[in-house]
Amino acid sequence: MTEKITLVTLDMAGTTVLDDGLVERAFGAAATALGVEPGTPRYDEQLAYVRATMGESKISVFRHLFAGGEERARRANAEFESAYGRLVADGHCEAVPGAREAIERLRADGRTVVLTTGFARVTQDAILRALGWTDLADLALCPADAGGRGRPYPDMVLTALLRTQAADSMRQVAVAGDTSSDVLSGTAAGAAVVAGVLTGAHDEATLRASGATHVLASVADLPELLSRLEDGR
């Protein structure tokens, strides 16, 4: 039987928010702005890296792609965030079916819910406004809120615990996300439940190989999973 889970951290894009290729489209705009043309070997190589690192802090991704040039990395990140924001403003932003209801049920069950992202604060806020979610969760965190390091580091999960004081130990914390970096972040933090979901970037084999304790079809299944674990079922 699992201890009562009192704190749940949920990833956004791919987990509670449908990505629908927006990350790749925004990356295309950023790469083009920095002179990396679609269809070239360098573009394809960079896109493959973006896909492999879904869920990580975007500025960290761009630092890798444009190694040796912090100014270029920051410019790429700004172009990316701007392009993603335009896509959101144009209506290309939807919740994963059942995500809102899952968050509402988690909170109704007495759990504190924190939304986390690898995006910058401006993009995270734009998504929350577009969905009408500004007051849906107890807290929303981006890498800058946790000292600058995003996933796969455990910092955002631990910051959620420190900021909310909603759990007495990591045995009372659950983490859910759609990428290996989400899972690695949860396991590094020592969360009792680290659930991978299949609505985003990575498949079941990848999520389990990264250490997921459970793999769910959707975050909509998370409230029932936690209830079953606590009941010993």
Side-chain angles (χ1 to χ4, degrees), residues 11-20 96 177-179 197-201:
D11 170 55
M12 292 180 64
T15 302
T16 55
V17 182
L18 290 173
D19 174 65
D20 195 27
V96 166
D178 68 297
T179 68
V197 300
L198 299 176
T199 50

Side-chain angles (χ1 to χ4, degrees), residues 121-201:
R121 165 62 61 189
V122 63
T123 305
Q124 184 179 43
D125 286 346
I127 294 170
L128 294 173
R129 286 194 301 271
L131 295 175
W133 281 15
T134 53
D135 296 317
L136 180 62
D138 295 277
L139 182 66
L141 295 174
C142 67
D145 299 316
R149 294 199 311 181
R151 297 180 287 251
Y153 298 102
D155 302 23
M156 283 196 288
V157 178
L158 298 176
T159 298
L161 174 62
L162 292 170
R163 290 273 294 270
T164 65
Q165 299 185 13
D168 294 328
S169 77
M170 295 307 295
R171 293 189 301 273
Q172 297 175 322
V173 178
V175 174
D178 68 297
T179 68
S180 61
S181 62
D182 294 315
V183 171
L184 290 168
S185 176
T187 57
V193 175
V194 183
V197 300
L198 299 176
T199 50

